[in-house]
Amino acid sequence: MYGMQGKFTTQPGKRDEFIKILLRAAALVGQLPECHLYTVSEDLNDQNGILIVEIWDDKAAHDAALQDPDVRDLIGAAMPLMAGEPVGSEFTVVGGYGI
């Protein structure tokens, strides 16, 4: 399985609005059988920070989801709320609990 974890930093005071957009994205991709996990979390150490973890069957499934018109619309709505580029990493899931 393919995974991604990342951190978004929003413009001051925009975190709640950004989270609403990400939760809408989670609802969309959560309907796809290739998506196993999509979490949205508030960073407790950064009042403008949001943490995301995604797990997919593979990278191709993740990339295909990004081309969905509804997902593209949400990305477009979120971009102006960001303060800089997201940071994160990709990973291969090798085991554990909860998936």
Side-chain angles (χ1 to χ4, degrees):
M1 283 191 259
Y2 169 79
M4 294 183 68
Q5 65 83 29
K7 179 178 180 179
F8 294 95
T9 302
T10 65
Q11 300 287 338
K14 297 296 183 180
R15 181 164 80 173
D16 289 344
E17 186 177 350
F18 198 94
I19 285 173
K20 287 178 185 177
I21 293 168
L22 290 173
L23 291 175
R24 288 172 51 204
L28 284 173
V29 300
Q31 297 175 27
L32 302 173
E34 303 88 359
C35 181
H36 300 279
L37 180 74
Y38 188 105
T39 64
V40 179
S41 305
E42 294 177 347
D43 186 335
L44 296 177
N45 297 309
D46 178 354
Q47 66 183 354
N48 299 311
I50 302 167
L51 306 169
I52 304 292
V53 178
E54 303 179 49
I55 298 179
W56 295 81
D57 280 348
D58 51 39
K59 185 171 179 7
H62 171 265
D63 292 348
L66 291 176
Q67 300 310 310
D68 178 275
D70 293 330
V71 171
R72 300 292 311 156
D73 287 346
L74 291 173
I75 292 169
M79 295 295 284
L81 305 177
M82 293 175 56
E85 295 291 320
V87 296
S89 59
E90 300 173 289
F91 55 88
T92 298
V93 177
V94 296
Y97 173 78
I99 301 175

Coordinates of all heavy atoms in Angstrom, one line a residue:
M1 N 0.8 -1.2 0.0 CA 0.0 0.0 0.0 C 0.9 1.2 0.0 O 2.0 1.3 0.5 CB -0.9 0.0 1.2 CG -2.1 -0.9 1.1 SD -3.3 -0.6 2.4 CE -2.9 -2.0 3.4
Y2 N 0.3 2.3 -0.6 CA 1.0 3.6 -0.7 C 0.4 4.6 0.3 O -0.8 4.6 0.5 CB 0.8 4.1 -2.1 CG 1.2 5.5 -2.4 CD1 2.5 5.8 -2.6 CD2 0.3 6.5 -2.4 CE1 2.9 7.2 -2.8 CE2 0.6 7.8 -2.6 CZ 2.0 8.2 -2.8 OH 2.3 9.5 -3.0
G3 N 1.3 5.3 0.9 CA 0.8 6.3 1.9 C 1.5 7.6 1.7 O 2.6 7.7 1.1
M4 N 0.9 8.6 2.2 CA 1.4 10.0 2.3 C 1.1 10.6 3.6 O 0.0 10.4 4.1 CB 0.8 10.9 1.2 CG 1.1 10.5 -0.2 SD 0.4 11.7 -1.4 CE 1.3 13.1 -1.0
Q5 N 2.0 11.4 4.1 CA 1.7 12.2 5.3 C 2.2 13.6 5.0 O 3.2 13.7 4.3 CB 2.3 11.6 6.6 CG 3.9 11.6 6.6 CD 4.5 12.9 7.0 OE1 3.9 13.7 7.8 NE2 5.6 13.2 6.5
G6 N 1.5 14.6 5.5 CA 1.9 15.9 5.1 C 1.4 16.9 6.1 O 0.5 16.6 7.0
K7 N 1.9 18.1 6.0 CA 1.5 19.2 6.9 C 1.2 20.4 5.9 O 2.0 20.8 5.1 CB 2.6 19.6 7.9 CG 2.1 20.8 8.7 CD 3.1 21.2 9.8 CE 2.6 22.4 10.6 NZ 3.5 22.8 11.6
F8 N 0.0 21.0 6.2 CA -0.3 22.2 5.5 C -0.3 23.3 6.6 O -0.7 23.1 7.7 CB -1.8 22.1 5.0 CG -1.9 21.2 3.8 CD1 -2.4 19.9 4.1 CD2 -1.7 21.5 2.5 CE1 -2.5 19.0 3.0 CE2 -1.9 20.7 1.5 CZ -2.3 19.4 1.7
T9 N 0.1 24.5 6.2 CA 0.1 25.7 7.0 C -0.8 26.7 6.3 O -0.6 27.0 5.2 CB 1.5 26.3 7.3 OG1 2.3 25.2 7.9 CG2 1.4 27.5 8.2
T10 N -1.8 27.1 7.1 CA -2.8 28.1 6.5 C -2.4 29.5 6.8 O -1.6 29.8 7.7 CB -4.2 27.8 7.0 OG1 -4.2 28.1 8.4 CG2 -4.6 26.4 6.7
Q11 N -3.0 30.4 6.1 CA -3.0 31.8 6.4 C -3.6 32.0 7.9 O -4.4 31.2 8.2 CB -3.8 32.6 5.5 CG -3.4 32.6 4.0 CD -2.1 33.3 3.8 OE1 -1.7 34.2 4.5 NE2 -1.4 32.9 2.7
P12 N -3.1 32.9 8.6 CA -3.6 33.1 10.0 C -5.2 33.2 10.0 O -5.8 33.9 9.2 CB -3.0 34.4 10.5 CG -1.7 34.5 9.7 CD -2.0 33.9 8.4
G13 N -5.8 32.4 10.9 CA -7.2 32.5 11.0 C -8.0 31.7 10.0 O -9.2 31.7 10.0
K14 N -7.3 31.0 9.1 CA -8.0 30.2 8.0 C -8.0 28.7 8.2 O -8.5 28.0 7.4 CB -7.3 30.5 6.7 CG -7.4 32.0 6.3 CD -8.9 32.4 6.0 CE -9.0 33.8 5.6 NZ -10.4 34.2 5.3
R15 N -7.5 28.2 9.4 CA -7.4 26.8 9.6 C -8.7 26.1 9.5 O -8.9 25.1 8.9 CB -6.6 26.5 10.8 CG -6.5 24.9 11.0 CD -5.5 24.6 12.1 NE -6.0 24.7 13.4 CZ -5.3 24.3 14.5 NH1 -4.1 23.8 14.3 NH2 -5.8 24.5 15.7
D16 N -9.7 26.6 10.2 CA -11.0 26.0 10.3 C -11.7 25.9 8.9 O -12.2 24.9 8.6 CB -12.0 26.7 11.2 CG -11.6 26.6 12.7 OD1 -10.8 25.7 13.0 OD2 -12.1 27.4 13.5
E17 N -11.5 26.9 8.1 CA -12.1 26.9 6.8 C -11.4 25.9 5.9 O -12.0 25.1 5.1 CB -11.9 28.3 6.1 CG -12.5 28.5 4.8 CD -12.4 29.9 4.2 OE1 -12.0 30.8 5.0 OE2 -12.7 30.1 3.0
F18 N -10.0 25.8 6.0 CA -9.2 24.8 5.3 C -9.6 23.4 5.7 O -9.8 22.5 4.9 CB -7.8 25.1 5.6 CG -6.8 24.4 4.6 CD1 -6.4 25.1 3.5 CD2 -6.4 23.1 4.7 CE1 -5.5 24.5 2.6 CE2 -5.5 22.5 3.8 CZ -5.1 23.3 2.7
I19 N -9.8 23.2 7.0 CA -10.2 21.9 7.5 C -11.6 21.4 6.9 O -11.7 20.3 6.5 CB -10.2 21.8 9.0 CG1 -8.8 21.8 9.6 CG2 -11.0 20.6 9.6 CD1 -8.7 21.9 11.1
K20 N -12.5 22.4 6.8 CA -13.8 22.0 6.2 C -13.6 21.5 4.8 O -14.3 20.6 4.4 CB -14.7 23.2 6.3 CG -15.3 23.5 7.7 CD -16.1 24.8 7.7 CE -16.5 25.1 9.1 NZ -17.3 26.4 9.2
I21 N -12.8 22.2 4.1 CA -12.5 21.7 2.7 C -11.9 20.3 2.7 O -12.3 19.5 1.9 CB -11.6 22.7 2.0 CG1 -12.3 24.1 1.8 CG2 -11.1 22.2 0.6 CD1 -11.5 25.2 1.3
L22 N -10.9 20.1 3.5 CA -10.3 18.8 3.6 C -11.2 17.7 4.0 O -11.1 16.6 3.5 CB -9.0 18.8 4.5 CG -7.9 19.6 4.0 CD1 -6.8 19.7 5.1 CD2 -7.3 19.0 2.8
L23 N -12.1 18.0 4.9 CA -13.1 17.0 5.3 C -14.1 16.7 4.2 O -14.6 15.5 4.1 CB -13.9 17.5 6.6 CG -13.0 17.5 7.8 CD1 -13.8 18.1 9.0 CD2 -12.5 16.1 8.2
R24 N -14.4 17.7 3.4 CA -15.2 17.4 2.2 C -14.4 16.5 1.2 O -15.0 15.6 0.6 CB -15.6 18.7 1.5 CG -16.7 19.4 2.3 CD -17.0 20.8 1.8 NE -17.3 20.9 0.4 CZ -17.2 22.0 -0.4 NH1 -16.7 23.1 0.2 NH2 -17.5 22.0 -1.6
A25 N -13.1 16.7 1.1 CA -12.3 15.9 0.2 C -12.2 14.5 0.8 O -12.3 13.5 0.1 CB -10.9 16.4 0.1
A26 N -12.2 14.3 2.1 CA -12.1 13.0 2.8 C -13.4 12.3 2.5 O -13.4 11.0 2.2 CB -11.9 13.2 4.3
A27 N -14.6 13.0 2.5 CA -15.8 12.3 2.2 C -15.9 11.8 0.7 O -16.4 10.7 0.5 CB -17.0 13.3 2.4
L28 N -15.3 12.6 -0.2 CA -15.2 12.2 -1.6 C -14.4 10.9 -1.8 O -14.8 9.9 -2.3 CB -14.7 13.3 -2.5 CG -15.7 14.5 -2.8 CD1 -14.9 15.6 -3.5 CD2 -16.8 14.0 -3.6
V29 N -13.1 11.0 -1.3 CA -12.2 9.9 -1.6 C -12.5 8.7 -0.7 O -12.2 7.6 -1.1 CB -10.7 10.3 -1.4 CG1 -10.4 11.5 -2.4 CG2 -10.4 10.7 0.0
G30 N -13.2 9.0 0.4 CA -13.6 7.8 1.3 C -14.6 6.9 0.6 O -14.8 5.8 1.0
Q31 N -15.2 7.4 -0.5 CA -16.1 6.5 -1.3 C -15.4 5.6 -2.2 O -16.0 4.7 -2.8 CB -17.1 7.4 -2.0 CG -18.0 8.2 -1.2 CD -18.9 9.2 -2.0 OE1 -19.2 8.9 -3.1 NE2 -19.3 10.3 -1.3
L32 N -14.1 5.8 -2.4 CA -13.3 5.0 -3.4 C -12.8 3.8 -2.7 O -12.1 3.9 -1.6 CB -12.2 5.9 -3.9 CG -12.5 7.2 -4.6 CD1 -11.3 8.0 -5.0 CD2 -13.4 6.9 -5.9
P33 N -12.9 2.6 -3.3 CA -12.4 1.4 -2.6 C -10.9 1.4 -2.5 O -10.4 0.7 -1.6 CB -13.0 0.3 -3.5 CG -13.3 0.9 -4.8 CD -13.6 2.4 -4.5
E34 N -10.2 2.2 -3.3 CA -8.7 2.2 -3.3 C -8.2 3.0 -2.1 O -7.0 3.0 -1.8 CB -8.2 2.7 -4.6 CG -8.6 2.0 -5.8 CD -9.9 2.5 -6.4 OE1 -10.5 3.4 -5.9 OE2 -10.4 1.9 -7.4
C35 N -9.0 3.9 -1.5 CA -8.6 4.7 -0.4 C -9.0 4.0 0.9 O -10.1 3.7 1.2 CB -9.3 6.1 -0.4 SG -8.8 7.2 0.9
H36 N -7.9 3.8 1.7 CA -8.1 3.0 3.0 C -8.1 4.0 4.2 O -8.6 3.6 5.3 CB -7.0 2.0 3.2 CG -7.1 1.0 2.1 ND1 -7.9 -0.1 2.0 CD2 -6.4 0.9 0.9 CE1 -7.8 -0.8 0.9 NE2 -6.8 -0.2 0.2
L37 N -7.5 5.1 4.1 CA -7.4 6.1 5.2 C -7.2 7.5 4.7 O -6.4 7.7 3.7 CB -6.2 5.7 6.1 CG -5.9 6.5 7.3 CD1 -7.0 6.2 8.4 CD2 -4.6 6.2 7.9
Y38 N -7.9 8.4 5.2 CA -7.6 9.8 4.9 C -8.0 10.6 6.2 O -9.2 10.8 6.5 CB -8.5 10.3 3.8 CG -8.2 11.7 3.3 CD1 -7.6 11.9 2.1 CD2 -8.6 12.8 4.0 CE1 -7.3 13.2 1.6 CE2 -8.4 14.1 3.5 CZ -7.7 14.2 2.3 OH -7.5 15.5 1.8
T39 N -7.0 11.0 7.0 CA -7.2 11.7 8.2 C -6.8 13.1 8.1 O -5.9 13.5 7.5 CB -6.5 11.0 9.4 OG1 -5.1 11.1 9.2 CG2 -6.9 9.5 9.6
V40 N -7.6 13.9 8.8 CA -7.3 15.4 8.9 C -7.2 15.7 10.4 O -8.1 15.4 11.2 CB -8.5 16.2 8.3 CG1 -8.3 17.7 8.4 CG2 -8.7 15.7 6.8
S41 N -6.1 16.3 10.8 CA -5.9 16.6 12.2 C -5.4 18.0 12.4 O -4.6 18.5 11.5 CB -4.8 15.6 12.8 OG -5.2 14.3 12.6
E42 N -5.7 18.6 13.5 CA -5.1 19.9 13.9 C -3.8 19.7 14.5 O -3.7 18.8 15.4 CB -6.1 20.7 14.8 CG -7.4 21.1 14.2 CD -8.3 21.7 15.3 OE1 -8.0 21.7 16.5 OE2 -9.3 22.3 14.8
D43 N -2.8 20.4 14.1 CA -1.5 20.4 14.7 C -1.6 21.1 16.1 O -1.9 22.3 16.1 CB -0.4 21.0 13.8 CG 1.0 20.9 14.3 OD1 1.2 20.7 15.5 OD2 1.9 21.0 13.5
L44 N -1.3 20.4 17.2 CA -1.4 21.0 18.5 C -0.3 22.0 18.8 O -0.4 22.8 19.7 CB -1.4 19.9 19.6 CG -2.6 19.0 19.5 CD1 -2.5 17.9 20.6 CD2 -3.9 19.7 19.7
N45 N 0.8 22.0 18.0 CA 1.9 22.8 18.2 C 1.9 24.0 17.2 O 2.9 24.8 17.3 CB 3.2 22.1 18.1 CG 3.3 21.0 19.1 OD1 3.1 21.3 20.3 ND2 3.6 19.8 18.7
D46 N 0.9 24.1 16.4 CA 0.9 25.2 15.4 C -0.6 25.6 15.1 O -1.3 24.8 14.5 CB 1.6 24.7 14.1 CG 1.6 25.7 13.0 OD1 0.9 26.8 13.1 OD2 2.2 25.4 11.9
Q47 N -1.0 26.7 15.5 CA -2.4 27.1 15.4 C -2.9 27.2 14.0 O -4.1 27.3 13.7 CB -2.7 28.4 16.2 CG -2.0 29.6 15.6 CD -2.2 30.9 16.4 OE1 -3.0 30.8 17.4 NE2 -1.6 31.9 16.1
N48 N -1.9 27.3 13.0 CA -2.3 27.3 11.6 C -1.9 26.0 10.9 O -2.1 25.9 9.7 CB -1.5 28.5 10.9 CG -1.9 29.8 11.5 OD1 -3.1 30.1 11.7 ND2 -0.9 30.6 11.9
G49 N -1.5 25.0 11.6 CA -1.1 23.8 11.0 C -2.2 22.7 11.0 O -2.9 22.5 11.9
I50 N -2.2 21.9 9.9 CA -3.1 20.8 9.6 C -2.2 19.6 9.2 O -1.4 19.8 8.3 CB -4.1 21.2 8.6 CG1 -4.9 22.4 9.0 CG2 -5.0 20.0 8.3 CD1 -5.8 23.0 7.9
L51 N -2.5 18.5 9.8 CA -1.8 17.3 9.4 C -2.7 16.3 8.7 O -3.8 16.1 9.1 CB -1.2 16.6 10.7 CG -0.3 17.5 11.5 CD1 -0.1 16.9 12.9 CD2 0.9 17.9 10.8
I52 N -2.2 15.7 7.6 CA -3.0 14.8 6.8 C -2.2 13.4 6.7 O -1.0 13.4 6.6 CB -3.1 15.3 5.4 CG1 -3.8 16.7 5.3 CG2 -3.9 14.3 4.5 CD1 -5.2 16.7 5.8
V53 N -2.9 12.3 6.8 CA -2.4 11.0 6.5 C -3.3 10.3 5.6 O -4.5 10.3 5.8 CB -2.2 10.2 7.8 CG1 -1.6 8.8 7.5 CG2 -1.2 10.9 8.8
E54 N -2.8 9.8 4.5 CA -3.6 9.1 3.5 C -2.9 7.7 3.2 O -1.7 7.6 3.2 CB -3.6 9.8 2.2 CG -4.1 11.2 2.2 CD -4.1 11.9 0.8 OE1 -4.5 11.3 -0.1 OE2 -3.6 13.0 0.8
I55 N -3.8 6.7 3.1 CA -3.3 5.3 2.6 C -4.2 4.9 1.5 O -5.4 4.9 1.6 CB -3.2 4.3 3.8 CG1 -2.3 4.9 4.9 CG2 -2.9 3.0 3.3 CD1 -2.1 4.0 6.1
W56 N -3.5 4.5 0.4 CA -4.2 4.0 -0.8 C -3.6 2.7 -1.2 O -2.6 2.3 -0.8 CB -3.9 5.0 -1.9 CG -4.4 6.4 -1.7 CD1 -3.9 7.4 -0.9 CD2 -5.7 6.9 -2.2 NE1 -4.7 8.5 -0.9 CE2 -5.8 8.2 -1.7 CE3 -6.6 6.4 -3.0 CZ2 -6.9 9.0 -2.0 CZ3 -7.7 7.2 -3.4 CH2 -7.8 8.5 -2.8
D57 N -4.4 2.0 -2.1 CA -3.9 0.8 -2.7 C -2.5 1.0 -3.3 O -1.6 0.1 -3.1 CB -4.8 0.2 -3.8 CG -6.0 -0.5 -3.2 OD1 -6.0 -0.8 -2.0 OD2 -7.0 -0.8 -4.0
D58 N -2.4 2.0 -4.1 CA -1.1 2.3 -4.7 C -1.1 3.8 -5.1 O -2.1 4.5 -5.0 CB -0.9 1.4 -6.0 CG -2.0 1.4 -6.9 OD1 -2.7 2.4 -7.1 OD2 -2.3 0.3 -7.4
K59 N 0.1 4.3 -5.6 CA 0.2 5.7 -6.0 C -0.7 6.0 -7.2 O -1.2 7.2 -7.2 CB 1.7 6.0 -6.4 CG 1.9 7.5 -6.7 CD 3.4 7.8 -6.8 CE 3.8 9.2 -7.1 NZ 2.8 10.2 -7.1
A60 N -0.9 5.1 -8.1 CA -1.8 5.4 -9.2 C -3.2 5.7 -8.8 O -3.8 6.6 -9.4 CB -1.8 4.2 -10.2
A61 N -3.7 5.0 -7.8 CA -5.0 5.3 -7.3 C -5.1 6.7 -6.6 O -6.1 7.4 -6.9 CB -5.4 4.2 -6.2
H62 N -4.1 7.0 -5.9 CA -4.0 8.4 -5.3 C -4.0 9.4 -6.4 O -4.8 10.4 -6.4 CB -2.8 8.5 -4.4 CG -2.5 9.9 -4.0 ND1 -1.7 10.8 -4.6 CD2 -3.0 10.6 -2.9 CE1 -1.7 11.9 -4.0 NE2 -2.5 11.9 -3.0
D63 N -3.1 9.3 -7.4 CA -3.0 10.2 -8.5 C -4.3 10.3 -9.3 O -4.7 11.4 -9.7 CB -1.8 9.8 -9.4 CG -0.5 10.0 -8.7 OD1 -0.4 10.6 -7.6 OD2 0.5 9.5 -9.3
A64 N -5.0 9.2 -9.5 CA -6.3 9.2 -10.2 C -7.3 10.1 -9.4 O -8.1 10.8 -10.0 CB -6.8 7.8 -10.5
A65 N -7.3 9.9 -8.1 CA -8.3 10.7 -7.3 C -8.1 12.2 -7.4 O -9.0 13.0 -7.4 CB -8.2 10.3 -5.8
L66 N -6.8 12.6 -7.6 CA -6.5 14.0 -7.8 C -7.0 14.6 -9.1 O -7.1 15.8 -9.2 CB -5.0 14.2 -7.7 CG -4.4 14.0 -6.3 CD1 -2.8 14.2 -6.4 CD2 -4.9 14.9 -5.3
Q67 N -7.4 13.8 -10.0 CA -7.9 14.2 -11.3 C -9.4 14.3 -11.3 O -10.0 14.9 -12.2 CB -7.4 13.3 -12.4 CG -5.9 13.2 -12.5 CD -5.3 14.6 -12.6 OE1 -5.7 15.5 -13.4 NE2 -4.3 14.8 -11.8
D68 N -10.1 13.8 -10.3 CA -11.5 13.9 -10.2 C -11.9 15.4 -10.2 O -11.4 16.2 -9.4 CB -12.0 13.2 -8.9 CG -13.5 13.3 -8.7 OD1 -14.0 14.4 -8.2 OD2 -14.2 12.4 -9.1
P69 N -12.9 15.8 -11.0 CA -13.3 17.2 -11.0 C -13.8 17.8 -9.7 O -13.4 19.0 -9.4 CB -14.5 17.2 -12.0 CG -14.3 16.0 -12.9 CD -13.7 15.0 -12.0
D70 N -14.5 17.0 -8.9 CA -14.9 17.6 -7.6 C -13.7 17.8 -6.6 O -13.6 18.7 -5.9 CB -15.9 16.6 -6.9 CG -17.2 16.6 -7.7 OD1 -17.6 17.6 -8.3 OD2 -17.9 15.5 -7.7
V71 N -12.7 16.8 -6.7 CA -11.5 17.0 -5.9 C -10.7 18.2 -6.4 O -10.2 19.0 -5.6 CB -10.7 15.7 -5.9 CG1 -9.3 15.9 -5.3 CG2 -11.4 14.6 -5.3
R72 N -10.6 18.4 -7.7 CA -9.9 19.5 -8.3 C -10.6 20.8 -7.8 O -9.8 21.8 -7.5 CB -9.9 19.5 -9.8 CG -9.3 18.3 -10.4 CD -7.8 18.1 -10.3 NE -7.1 19.3 -10.6 CZ -5.8 19.6 -10.2 NH1 -5.2 18.8 -9.4 NH2 -5.2 20.7 -10.5
D73 N -11.9 20.9 -7.7 CA -12.6 22.1 -7.2 C -12.2 22.4 -5.8 O -12.0 23.5 -5.4 CB -14.1 21.9 -7.3 CG -14.6 22.0 -8.8 OD1 -13.8 22.5 -9.7 OD2 -15.8 21.6 -9.0
L74 N -12.1 21.3 -5.0 CA -11.7 21.5 -3.6 C -10.3 22.0 -3.4 O -10.0 22.9 -2.6 CB -11.9 20.3 -2.8 CG -13.4 19.8 -2.6 CD1 -13.5 18.5 -2.0 CD2 -14.2 20.9 -1.8
I75 N -9.4 21.5 -4.3 CA -8.0 21.9 -4.3 C -8.0 23.4 -4.6 O -7.3 24.2 -4.0 CB -7.2 21.1 -5.2 CG1 -7.0 19.6 -4.7 CG2 -5.8 21.7 -5.5 CD1 -6.4 18.7 -5.7
G76 N -8.7 23.8 -5.6 CA -8.8 25.2 -6.0 C -9.3 26.1 -4.9 O -8.8 27.2 -4.7
A77 N -10.2 25.6 -4.1 CA -10.8 26.4 -3.0 C -9.8 26.5 -1.9 O -9.7 27.5 -1.2 CB -12.1 25.8 -2.5
A78 N -9.0 25.5 -1.7 CA -8.0 25.5 -0.6 C -6.8 26.3 -0.8 O -6.2 26.8 0.1 CB -7.6 24.0 -0.3
M79 N -6.3 26.3 -2.1 CA -5.0 27.0 -2.4 C -4.9 28.4 -1.9 O -3.8 28.7 -1.3 CB -4.8 26.9 -3.9 CG -4.6 25.5 -4.5 SD -3.2 24.7 -3.9 CE -1.9 25.5 -4.8
P80 N -5.9 29.3 -2.0 CA -5.7 30.6 -1.5 C -5.6 30.7 0.0 O -5.2 31.7 0.5 CB -7.0 31.4 -2.0 CG -7.6 30.5 -3.0 CD -7.1 29.1 -2.7
L81 N -6.0 29.7 0.7 CA -5.9 29.7 2.2 C -4.6 29.3 2.7 O -4.3 29.4 3.9 CB -7.0 28.7 2.8 CG -8.4 29.0 2.3 CD1 -9.4 28.0 2.9 CD2 -8.9 30.4 2.7
M82 N -3.7 28.7 1.9 CA -2.4 28.2 2.3 C -1.4 29.3 2.5 O -1.4 30.3 1.8 CB -1.9 27.2 1.3 CG -2.7 25.9 1.2 SD -2.3 24.8 -0.1 CE -0.6 24.5 0.3
A83 N -0.5 29.1 3.4 CA 0.7 29.9 3.6 C 1.9 29.1 3.3 O 2.5 28.5 4.1 CB 0.8 30.4 5.1
G84 N 2.2 29.1 2.0 CA 3.4 28.3 1.5 C 3.0 26.9 1.1 O 1.8 26.5 1.1
E85 N 4.0 26.2 0.6 CA 3.9 24.9 0.1 C 3.7 23.8 1.3 O 4.3 24.0 2.3 CB 5.1 24.5 -0.7 CG 5.3 25.3 -2.0 CD 4.2 25.0 -3.0 OE1 3.8 23.9 -3.2 OE2 3.7 26.0 -3.6
P86 N 2.9 22.8 1.0 CA 2.8 21.7 2.0 C 4.1 21.0 2.1 O 4.9 21.0 1.2 CB 1.7 20.8 1.5 CG 1.6 21.1 0.1 CD 2.0 22.5 -0.1
V87 N 4.4 20.4 3.3 CA 5.6 19.5 3.4 C 5.1 18.1 3.9 O 4.1 18.0 4.5 CB 6.6 20.1 4.4 CG1 7.1 21.4 4.0 CG2 5.9 20.3 5.8
G88 N 5.9 17.1 3.5 CA 5.5 15.8 3.9 C 6.4 14.7 3.2 O 7.4 15.1 2.7
S89 N 5.9 13.5 3.3 CA 6.6 12.4 2.7 C 5.7 11.3 2.2 O 4.5 11.2 2.7 CB 7.7 11.9 3.6 OG 7.1 11.4 4.8
E90 N 6.2 10.5 1.3 CA 5.5 9.3 0.8 C 6.1 8.1 1.5 O 7.2 8.2 2.0 CB 5.7 9.2 -0.7 CG 5.1 10.4 -1.5 CD 5.5 10.3 -2.9 OE1 6.7 10.4 -3.2 OE2 4.6 10.0 -3.7
F91 N 5.3 7.1 1.7 CA 5.8 5.9 2.3 C 5.1 4.6 1.8 O 4.0 4.7 1.2 CB 5.7 6.0 3.8 CG 4.3 6.2 4.3 CD1 3.4 5.2 4.6 CD2 3.8 7.5 4.6 CE1 2.1 5.5 5.1 CE2 2.6 7.8 5.1 CZ 1.7 6.8 5.3
T92 N 5.7 3.5 2.0 CA 5.1 2.2 1.7 C 4.6 1.6 3.1 O 5.5 1.5 4.0 CB 6.0 1.3 1.0 OG1 6.4 1.9 -0.2 CG2 5.4 -0.1 0.8
V93 N 3.4 1.2 3.2 CA 2.9 0.6 4.4 C 3.4 -0.8 4.4 O 3.2 -1.6 3.5 CB 1.4 0.6 4.4 CG1 0.8 -0.1 5.7 CG2 0.9 2.1 4.4
V94 N 4.1 -1.2 5.5 CA 4.6 -2.6 5.6 C 3.9 -3.4 6.7 O 4.2 -4.6 6.9 CB 6.1 -2.5 5.9 CG1 6.9 -2.0 4.8 CG2 6.5 -1.8 7.2
G95 N 3.0 -2.8 7.5 CA 2.2 -3.5 8.5 C 1.8 -2.6 9.6 O 2.0 -1.3 9.5
G96 N 1.2 -3.2 10.6 CA 0.7 -2.4 11.7 C -0.7 -2.7 12.1 O -1.2 -3.7 11.7
Y97 N -1.3 -1.8 12.8 CA -2.7 -2.0 13.3 C -3.6 -0.9 12.7 O -3.2 0.2 12.6 CB -2.7 -1.9 14.8 CG -4.1 -1.9 15.4 CD1 -4.8 -3.1 15.5 CD2 -4.7 -0.8 15.8 CE1 -6.1 -3.1 16.0 CE2 -6.0 -0.8 16.3 CZ -6.7 -1.9 16.4 OH -8.0 -1.9 16.8
G98 N -4.8 -1.3 12.3 CA -5.8 -0.3 11.9 C -6.1 -0.1 10.5 O -6.9 0.7 10.1
I99 N -5.5 -0.9 9.6 CA -5.7 -0.7 8.2 C -6.4 -2.0 7.7 O -6.0 -3.0 7.9 CB -4.4 -0.5 7.4 CG1 -3.8 0.8 7.9 CG2 -4.7 -0.4 5.9 CD1 -2.5 1.1 7.3

